[in-house]
Amino acid sequence: MSQQAEWWKQTTVYQIYPRSFYDSNGDGIGDIEGIIQKLDVLHALGVETLWCSPFYKSPQADFGYDIADYLSIAPEYGSMEDAERLIKEVHDRDMKIVFDMVLNHTSDQHGWFVESKSSRDNPKRDWYIWRDGKGKGLPPNNWKSMTGGSGWTYDEQTDQWYWATFLPFQPDLNYRNPEVKQQMFDIVRHWLSKGVDGFRLDIFNAIFKDTSFEDNPFSWRPLPSEDNPDGFFQSNVHTINHPDTFQFAQELRAVIDEFDTPKRFLVGEVFGPTEKICDYCGDGSDGLHLVFLFKSLHVPMTAKGFGELLDEYETHFQAPLMPTYVFGNHDRPRRDKTEEQARLQRLFQYTARGVPFLYYGEEIGMKHHSLPLKTALDPMAEKYKWIPQWMATFMVKQGILLNRDECRTPMQWDASPNAGFTTADAAPWLPLHPDHTKRHVAAQRTSDSLWTCIQRLLQLRKQHPSLHAGTLERLPSSHKDLLSYQRNHQDAPTIRVYLNFGKQTITLPTQAGTCLFSTHTPRAQELPLPTQLRPYEGVIIQCP
Ligand code: GLC
Ligand code: CA
């Protein structure tokens, strides 16, 4: 396969949360026209692929992850024409665009569910997962939802229970029904024919449930984690990462492969041990193209932490598979604390072998915004409003986010009121982070900043085949705070990367070459070949 055909292996992705990105009409809510108006800025930054969280028709109970019609656009975000124009405008700039596809469930307002719920013998009854209870007030089995508590909801009218992996207003579709599968494949085809370059697949690993409907076994784990979806004292063997879901990845890949020029791609949101979730990618040609690897969301800022992450991903995602590097998204706490750590982490993210995902705002180091749980708009927080605020804050430190409003605050564009996200007199749908008057794109584009640091990294990654298409080899380390590796490519010079995760200066091995980048030096300055790394400094060296 040619390099071009496998563009998705070399790309860099930027996630847009449309509601929070840019409001073009002053109603306080970001919209599609707003994304279009900011494409030039994203192009100037140098990101290659955009992933937009859902803007399909939806009651917005989970802000778009509850779809009421997969083939129309929510009016607050724009029209079908706007969506088509967005695809075109992205392509006109030589960029790609990936839509979010929620296959697992619909909104309870979707016409299919309204029908399904209407009576036991409705033709759409079997499009969702309905079961008899075990007795009065007792659900069909002990299965827990991903958000905690039983995933079953009782429907009085038809005296049966329906299954919802996430929240009760998001009923799961029944993929054992061939009509459902065909319908969803056709929806995927519909968007691909409109030119969409691929999909991010929401909670993909929940799609198939076991047909036995037997109880899930007990587990001692109170809470799920990125690499172990068991939790709430239950092992999710019958509900998460079911063997049939791996099989389904192959079927979906075949649908995607019907579209050839250009090739399209799939990235799955899955949770589980790295050695297991790599199986979603099959042999690299017959499964999902990529899966999100979420361990990075919690990696400690140490050479050991990042080194172990690298080793684990390199082991389980050997070529032709490709790892992903994710440090934030619309569900997780924002990680950036200090500027120097942010720069170091971006250097790692853009020079490791893998597809990097940047969440909007990470290019300016946007900070996590602690907000009261009691007034949260996020429906997940609704479920946990009884938790005291101090505990919610403590959980964020552990990487668990109950109020996802905190990482979805409006993008900070400039020094104008409301940080230029919306008009001065409008009320943004979520409060801005208090540092918006100082931290914004306008200020960072014109100075030595995180934004320009990322821009430079993206340029280098594009320029150097070793960085976007090379293999990765760990270099021996002389210091506990030093992480170093090199990227090799048969047709291009080898590139070495050195990262100092500590407070001490580290002496580098003597070598020849050219220094292409340092996290500590403004772009315009000449870069002498370093013999030492300053605290938290990272450099890129091109070998002769
Ligand atoms: C995924 C999404 C999240 C959403 C949930 C249910 O985890 O990332 O935002 O609430 O699925 O669709
Ligand atoms: Ca708007």
Side-chain angles (χ1 to χ4, degrees):
M1 215 181 273
S2 80
Q3 296 283 313
Q4 181 52 26
E6 294 202 311
W7 62 267
W8 52 270
K9 281 192 180 174
Q10 305 178 2
T11 198
T12 50
V13 186
Y14 182 96
Q15 180 190 355
I16 293 173
Y17 194 70
R19 207 173 181 82
S20 302
F21 198 60
Y22 180 54
D23 173 22
S24 71
N25 62 353
D27 63 359
I29 297 173
D31 43 56
I32 298 177
E33 172 59 31
I35 301 174
I36 296 174
Q37 289 183 22
K38 294 296 183 187
L39 286 179
D40 286 334
V41 187
L42 297 176
H43 186 251
L45 179 64
V47 289
E48 292 160 70
T49 298
L50 306 180
W51 148 35
C52 296
S53 283
F55 38 57
Y56 313 99
K57 188 176 167 206
S58 158
Q60 308 293 341
D62 191 13
F63 300 110
Y65 285 96
D66 49 328
I67 300 173
D69 180 358
Y70 290 80
L71 301 180
S72 56
I73 302 297
E76 58 264 62
Y77 294 138
S79 62
M80 183 57 78
E81 233 175 32
D82 295 330
E84 286 165 355
R85 203 156 42 87
L86 173 64
I87 299 171
K88 184 176 177 301
E89 296 272 351
V90 169
H91 289 163
D92 285 351
R93 288 167 180 79
D94 246 339
M95 293 155 82
K96 306 272 188 188
I97 182 156
V98 168
F99 277 17
D100 213 306
M101 187 45 71
V102 186
L103 295 175
N104 180 72
H105 51 268
T106 68
S107 156
D108 61 358
Q109 311 289 304
H110 196 297
W112 304 334
F113 188 71
V114 174
E115 277 194 54
S116 182
K117 200 174 173 230
S118 65
S119 77
R120 285 198 188 203
D121 51 15
N122 184 280
K124 293 251 171 356
R125 184 66 169 183
D126 186 48
W127 278 42
Y128 294 84
I129 302 170
W130 291 97
R131 308 286 293 175
D132 289 332
K134 272 194 169 157
K136 202 171 164 30
L138 294 176
N141 60 28
N142 75 349
W143 293 359
K144 300 255 172 83
S145 77
M146 266 186 192
T147 56
S150 173
W152 294 101
T153 301
Y154 181 62
D155 173 53
E156 215 175 295
Q157 192 190 318
T158 59
D159 186 28
Q160 275 194 319
W161 301 70
Y162 68 84
W163 171 252
T165 298
F166 206 73
L167 288 165
F169 59 80
Q170 292 160 309
D172 280 32
L173 284 162
N174 174 19
Y175 280 82
R176 309 250 173 221
N177 181 320
E179 278 173 23
V180 169
K181 217 196 260 185
Q182 274 324 309
Q183 173 66 81
M184 297 313 281
F185 285 167
D186 283 347
I187 286 167
V188 160
R189 287 189 183 102
H190 175 90
W191 284 109
L192 293 173
S193 341
K194 282 192 186 284
V196 166
D197 295 293
F199 298 101
R200 175 265 184 190
L201 304 166
D202 194 68
I203 52 171
F204 187 79
N205 60 343
I207 288 188
F208 278 85
K209 296 26 109 167
D210 199 71
T211 49
S212 71
F213 287 91
E214 275 171 23
D215 277 358
N216 272 331
F218 176 81
S219 151
W220 283 106
R221 290 176 59 82
L223 289 174
S225 60
E226 307 299 351
D227 58 350
N228 190 342
D230 294 346
F232 309 113
F233 299 101
Q234 172 160 124
S235 165
N236 298 312
V237 286
H238 297 313
T239 42
I240 302 289
N241 293 327
H242 191 280
D244 295 343
T245 308
F246 289 86
Q247 174 63 38
F248 180 69
Q250 299 197 347
E251 283 179 64
L252 187 60
R253 172 65 178 259
V255 174
I256 295 292
D257 284 347
E258 290 167 18
F259 293 77
D260 219 27
T261 35
K263 288 256 182 225
R264 318 298 167 95
F265 92 106
L266 296 169
V267 51
E269 186 197 23
V270 298
F271 307 94
T274 311
E275 66 271 20
K276 180 161 187 165
I277 57 179
C278 61
D279 289 347
Y280 279 112
C281 302
D283 67 7
S285 67
D286 62 355
L288 305 185
H289 299 73
L290 300 170
V291 289
F292 288 121
L293 300 174
F294 289 134
K295 259 194 158 172
S296 45
L297 292 165
H298 309 279
V299 66
M301 276 305 291
T302 62
K304 186 167 176 279
F306 276 72
E308 285 173 1
L309 192 75
L310 201 61
D311 291 344
E312 183 172 325
Y313 292 1
E314 282 297 301
T315 306
H316 299 293
F317 284 84
Q318 278 171 33
L321 303 191
M322 201 56 154
T324 54
Y325 284 98
V326 185
F327 291 94
N329 65 29
H330 62 292
D331 298 326
R332 301 312 156 93
R334 289 188 181 268
R335 262 178 70 100
D336 284 333
K337 303 264 166 2
T338 67
E339 168 86 17
E340 55 190 5
Q341 290 186 356
R343 288 184 183 218
L344 199 63
Q345 178 261 304
R346 303 300 190 279
L347 169 60
F348 170 83
Q349 188 178 19
Y350 288 121
T351 56
R353 189 187 70 91
V355 176
F357 282 77
L358 195 74
Y359 179 49
Y360 85 91
E362 285 178 347
E363 70 273 42
I364 53 168
M366 244 169 82
K367 296 260 167 61
H368 193 83
H369 189 4
S370 299
L371 292 167
L373 200 54
K374 290 230 159 15
T375 51
L377 302 181
D378 178 10
M380 199 161 83
E382 191 61 45
K383 203 164 172 171
Y384 292 103
K385 281 192 172 155
W386 52 273
I387 286 186
Q389 187 66 35
W390 66 265
M391 202 192 281
T393 309
F394 172 76
M395 285 171 89
V396 167
K397 296 213 169 76
Q398 312 305 306
I400 301 167
L401 190 54
L402 299 178
N403 177 6
R404 297 173 298 173
D405 295 357
E406 297 185 342
C407 65
R408 299 172 178 176
T409 59
M411 180 64 182
Q412 299 163 198
W413 291 106
D414 57 40
S416 62
N418 286 325
F421 161 71
T422 181
T423 48
D425 50 355
W429 80 285
L430 281 178
L432 285 134
H433 191 284
D435 81 354
H436 72 265
T437 48
K438 287 200 216 88
R439 184 184 300 280
H440 50 72
V441 176
Q444 294 204 16
R445 273 188 86 172
T446 49
S447 58
D448 170 44
S449 65
L450 188 58
W451 197 95
T452 50
C453 165
I454 293 173
Q455 184 188 43
R456 177 81 184 122
L457 283 169
L458 285 163
Q459 278 167 357
L460 287 170
R461 193 183 148 99
K462 250 174 257 180
Q463 264 163 24
H464 293 275
S466 305
L467 286 177
H468 64 246
T471 56
L472 184 143
E473 183 187 336
R474 280 286 291 275
L475 296 169
S477 178
S478 52
H479 193 286
K480 70 167 180 37
D481 291 332
L482 178 68
L483 174 67
S484 50
Y485 45 87
Q486 67 181 29
R487 305 289 313 274
N488 309 312
H489 191 281
Q490 57 194 29
D491 305 322
T494 292
I495 302 278
R496 293 197 174 136
V497 182
Y498 296 90
L499 304 112
N500 180 359
F501 283 88
K503 291 194 192 107
Q504 288 160 17
T505 299
I506 298 177
T507 304
L508 289 178
T510 339
Q511 58 188 316
T514 322
C515 185
L516 301 176
F517 174 91
S518 159
T519 49
H520 284 31
T521 315
R523 224 192 120 164
Q525 278 176 28
E526 277 275 299
L527 291 168
L529 191 65
T531 52
Q532 292 194 318
L533 278 186
R534 289 165 277 182
Y536 300 105
E537 184 176 22
V539 294
I540 302 180
I541 293 171
Q542 176 179 327
C543 298

